[in-house]
Amino acid sequence: MEHLKTKIRHVPDFPKPGILFYDITTLLNDAQGFREMVDGLAAPHVAQRIDQVVGIESRGFILGAAVANRLNAGFVPIRKPGKLPSKTHREDYALEYGVDGLEIHEDALGQGQRVLIVDDVLATGGTAKAAAGLVRRVGGELVGLSFLIELNFLNGRSKLTGEAVHSVLQY
Ligand code: AMP
């Protein structure tokens, strides 16, 4: 899978100085790269009977929906505050570049449904930790978290102790 790195664009100082942004649009518009990316995200989970894939706004929607389809699972969005129309639960979290909140619909998951969380980048882990908390608050059984990119130097895994964390590419 390492060759997928050549298809990801690195944008320095976006969205603010000092951040190296991993731009996956250059991977998504490559049909073979897109398919291999979904292969890599889904592979560890094909035999795990995943009921729902939870994707985190916004790139997690693209990856998560494709992985859900591959795993014959449903898809559930976790969104930025104020975007989901029905009753929600909210958790606040620290981002590599700011502070924000996340929301999930209260009735998004059936009790005990087996869930895989998918996102593009695991950086400091704050986003993923908040998402894991939301999944459990609405009754989901969190089976694992799958990321395209893990930024090892930010040690996001330390916020996810006890979780099954998988990443396709590490930097
Ligand atoms: P964190 O909460 O620090 O793990 O940040 C993860 C979230 O922020 C993910 O949803 C990513 O889409 C986004 N993100 C954080 N750092 C980067 C980066 N260097 N390049 C692209 N996206 C990033």
Side-chain angles (χ1 to χ4, degrees):
M1 287 285 160
E2 282 297 298
H3 65 285
L4 293 181
K5 286 185 175 178
T6 63
K7 300 178 191 282
I8 294 169
R9 179 160 53 196
H10 295 187
V11 183
D13 300 318
F14 185 88
K16 64 185 199 188
I19 301 294
L20 178 62
F21 193 88
Y22 293 83
D23 174 18
I24 62 164
T25 62
T26 46
L27 172 62
L28 296 174
N29 72 10
D30 179 304
Q32 189 183 338
F34 193 171
R35 183 167 29 76
E36 289 178 1
M37 176 194 78
V38 176
D39 291 344
L41 286 163
H45 308 287
V46 284
Q48 287 184 325
R49 198 175 53 76
I50 301 296
D51 298 309
Q52 301 285 355
V53 172
V54 167
I56 306 171
E57 185 169 4
S58 58
R59 292 176 296 275
F61 292 176
I62 303 165
L63 278 56
V67 171
N69 188 256
R70 178 71 60 87
L71 295 176
N72 296 310
F75 177 80
V76 169
I78 280 183
R79 298 205 65 178
K80 304 283 167 57
K83 299 279 186 68
L84 287 169
S86 189
K87 282 191 183 166
T88 58
H89 287 299
R90 173 175 177 151
E91 289 216 9
D92 291 313
Y93 67 104
L95 195 66
E96 187 186 1
Y97 40 82
V99 177
D100 216 337
L102 287 176
E103 293 182 345
I104 193 168
H105 272 146
E106 283 179 1
D107 61 355
L109 298 172
Q111 195 65 33
Q113 278 202 310
R114 292 167 58 79
V115 172
L116 174 69
I117 292 175
V118 170
D119 203 2
D120 63 337
V121 176
L122 175 61
T124 66
T127 306
K129 186 174 183 208
L134 287 171
V135 163
R136 293 201 169 100
R137 265 169 79 184
V138 297
E141 180 191 333
L142 184 58
V143 176
L145 300 96
S146 193
F147 301 92
L148 175 61
I149 293 168
E150 178 174 4
L151 304 181
N152 287 334
F153 58 96
L154 291 172
N155 204 18
R157 269 180 200 254
S158 65
K159 287 210 183 72
L160 301 170
T161 310
E163 312 289 7
V165 179
H166 161 73
S167 58
V168 179
L169 305 171
Q170 296 82 33
Y171 290 87

